[in-house]
Amino acid sequence: MIKFTDLELDSNVLSAIADAGYQTPTPIQARAIPEALKGLDILGIAQTGTGKTAAFCIPIIEMLSKDEKSMALIMMPTRELARQVIDVINQLTNNGDKIKSACLIGGEAMRIQTKQLSNHPRIIVGTPGRINDHLENNKINLKSCIYLVLDETDRMLDMGFGKQIDQIFKYLP
């Protein structure tokens, strides 16, 4: 059985994983994390509750901890999912001590989100519509974004976010 320590993660990341209560990687984590750490693209499918969020958050945090100039964009279809993902990121980054994050979702004040963006977050989590709002207002610069996660892509496309996702892609390097 594989352990998180077998994945050759930074000691700070391993500490945050332990603090978050993760014991051993789930099957999706055990398969996805090593591949992501190699820089490979991943398409992961697993049932709810199997640790998919940590499967993409852990390698992103690990890679960002080694490259202080890059950033990540994580998109999902609903604000509820975005909140769940930002909670996991905050757990795994000790609430943003070194790697700051921002959550950009509809239904929350733009000025609060703009303030988050002014802190130069390296992980941006949000829904396509609100991410586009901030891009159109020149509040986000994605030129150093080298990690992209489309969480629940099928659902985003079913909900009609295809055009908004395409628009966001124009801002990515």
Side-chain angles (χ1 to χ4, degrees), residues 32-33 51-61 74 76 85 149 151:
I33 293 171
K52 291 184 300 291
T53 301
F56 62 76
C57 290
I58 290 170
I60 285 173
I61 292 165
I74 304 171
M76 63 270 319
V85 170
V149 175
D151 192 10

Side-chain angles (χ1 to χ4, degrees), residues 78-162:
T78 68
R79 61 179 157 228
E80 293 79 18
L81 281 170
R83 284 190 188 112
Q84 289 173 13
V85 170
I86 204 72
D87 287 345
V88 170
I89 289 168
N90 286 336
Q91 278 185 316
L92 294 171
T93 59
N94 294 321
N95 291 312
D97 288 343
K98 293 182 181 175
I99 300 173
K100 294 184 180 2
S101 59
C103 187
L104 309 180
I105 55 176
E108 290 191 359
M110 290 282 283
R111 73 182 187 294
I112 293 169
Q113 295 173 5
T114 300
K115 185 174 185 203
Q116 288 179 41
L117 293 170
S118 71
N119 290 325
H120 308 288
R122 297 188 48 225
I123 302 175
I124 295 176
V125 177
T127 54
R130 186 49 63 99
I131 291 168
N132 266 319
D133 292 342
H134 286 288
L135 285 167
E136 290 169 6
N137 290 315
N138 295 316
K139 300 296 180 188
I140 306 174
N141 182 340
L142 295 177
K143 290 193 183 342
S144 60
C145 181
I146 59 174
Y147 305 108
L148 172 67
V149 175
L150 301 174
D151 192 10
E152 298 204 19
T153 308
D154 56 340
R155 194 162 158 207
M156 282 195 286
L157 295 175
D158 287 345
M159 293 171 73
F161 286 125

